[in-house]
Amino acid sequence: MQRKNFTEVTEFIFLGFSILGKHQIMLFVVFLTIYILILTGNVIMTIICVDHHLHTPMYFFLGMLASSETVYTLVSVPQMLSGLLFHNQPISLAGCATQMFFFVILATNNCFLLTAMGYDCFVAICNPLRYTALMSKGVCATLVCGSFGTGLVMAVLHVAAMFSLPFCGTVVEHFFCDLYPVMKLSCTDITINEMINYGVSSFVILVPVGLIFIAYVFIISTILKIASIEGRKKAFTTCTSHLTVVIVHYSCASIAYLKPKSENSIEQDLLLSVTYAIITPLLNPVVYSLRNKEVKDALCRAVGKNHYSTD
């Protein structure tokens, strides 16, 4: 009889931002504006990285990251915007599992793509004479496929463990099917699932952070050995954009997924998730376009070609 109650849940309802009451329309306008900027920025980054002047590993990875983050925002942000206008939005269990699956794949993919970009910076500064050999097209393709493959494995682990649980609750205290808010709806003890969640999150965040940290130890050590101040400045500028994005990305991810959940209120969880879902993807095209002359030049060429074609 108890097992029958477990199987009665066929859909979830998102609580979303209903706790904020009358401020939801204002949030909708703000988030929609940010989302349009994210899509525009990442699509532009993807397009300009196709520019033949930018056929280097760094821009290949940057194009992959921009494409991945464009799809990543499509997984959760439209659901969030819809929930701000229409309350009590339902989603089927299958729909929730699909949303979670793609969220985990793309979030993990983004983390390891940033690691691949860190390796690119490391080779460019610490081993420039062998750069072409060490960062060949085959190596770059392997790193991208490895990032996506890791995301796929993590997603299968998460979703298989999550949706083997029986659910009693139906109200997800979130704006999309994130891991912990769905896990809390289970009727049974979730200790093992929490361990899986924490273990996978730790792997996805701490392994890339560790590898990037090691890379930058060697990078900084190499830069300090450069005799001229101009040479040091040029070398450090090469990795400034990447380092900025890494610090913000992994700081948000660590707070959102490694901090003990008992310490967070619903409002804090929503704020952290919003930051990770829309602020971080907005940061990448802004940082790389504002701090990189080659990207600016490629954008000008793209706009110029479009101008001439319309003339």
Side-chain angles (χ1 to χ4, degrees), residues 6 17 34 48 50-51 61 63 118 129 133 136 143 159 166 193 291:
F6 287 174
F17 295 89
I34 294 174
I48 64 177
V50 179
D51 187 300
F61 292 133
L129 297 179
S136 64
L143 290 171
V159 173
N193 292 78
R291 299 188 63 89

Side-chain angles (χ1 to χ4, degrees), residues 106-138:
L106 294 163
T108 305
N109 185 49
N110 294 343
C111 287
F112 281 91
L113 281 176
L114 285 171
T115 309
M117 294 170 76
Y119 175 68
D120 177 67
C121 288
F122 163 75
V123 176
I125 292 176
C126 298
N127 209 341
L129 297 179
R130 297 192 61 205
Y131 182 80
T132 305
L134 294 175
M135 296 304 297
S136 64
K137 290 183 179 179

Side-chain angles (χ1 to χ4, degrees), residues 67-83:
S67 301
S68 179
E69 291 206 322
T70 300
V71 182
Y72 167 78
T73 57
L74 287 171
V75 172
S76 59
V77 179
Q79 181 83 56
M80 176 180 70
L81 294 173
S82 175

Side-chain angles (χ1 to χ4, degrees), residues 238-280:
T238 304
C239 298
T240 304
S241 298
H242 176 257
L243 189 58
T244 303
V245 171
V246 162
I247 290 171
V248 175
H249 180 94
Y250 289 109
S251 296
C252 292
S254 298
I255 295 171
Y257 292 99
L258 297 184
K259 183 179 179 181
K261 298 301 177 183
S262 58
E263 296 182 11
N264 294 355
S265 64
I266 296 175
E267 293 87 348
Q268 287 176 321
D269 283 334
L270 290 174
L271 178 61
L272 290 171
S273 296
V274 166
T275 302
Y276 193 62
I278 64 175
I279 303 302
T280 303

Side-chain angles (χ1 to χ4, degrees), residues 88-198:
N88 300 324
Q89 289 279 295
I91 187 171
S92 66
L93 256 66
C96 184
T98 302
Q99 187 180 57
M100 186 181 294
F101 182 77
F102 283 105
F103 172 78
V104 174
I105 284 181
L106 294 163
T108 305
N109 185 49
N110 294 343
C111 287
F112 281 91
L113 281 176
L114 285 171
T115 309
M117 294 170 76
Y119 175 68
D120 177 67
C121 288
F122 163 75
V123 176
I125 292 176
C126 298
N127 209 341
L129 297 179
R130 297 192 61 205
Y131 182 80
T132 305
L134 294 175
M135 296 304 297
S136 64
K137 290 183 179 179
V139 171
C140 293
T142 300
L143 290 171
V144 169
C145 291
S147 298
F148 185 81
T150 303
L152 183 62
V153 172
M154 297 300 107
V156 170
L157 279 174
H158 265 308
V159 173
M162 186 74 68
F163 289 88
S164 63
L165 294 171
F167 296 103
C168 294
T170 59
V171 179
V172 180
E173 295 177 343
H174 215 284
F175 55 84
F176 77 103
C177 286
D178 202 357
L179 302 167
Y180 192 71
V182 174
M183 194 189 305
K184 288 197 301 182
L185 302 180
S186 174
C187 305
T188 57
D189 180 57
I190 59 172
T191 302
I192 294 176
N193 292 78
E194 286 181 323
M195 292 172 62
I196 293 172
N197 181 29
Y198 193 79

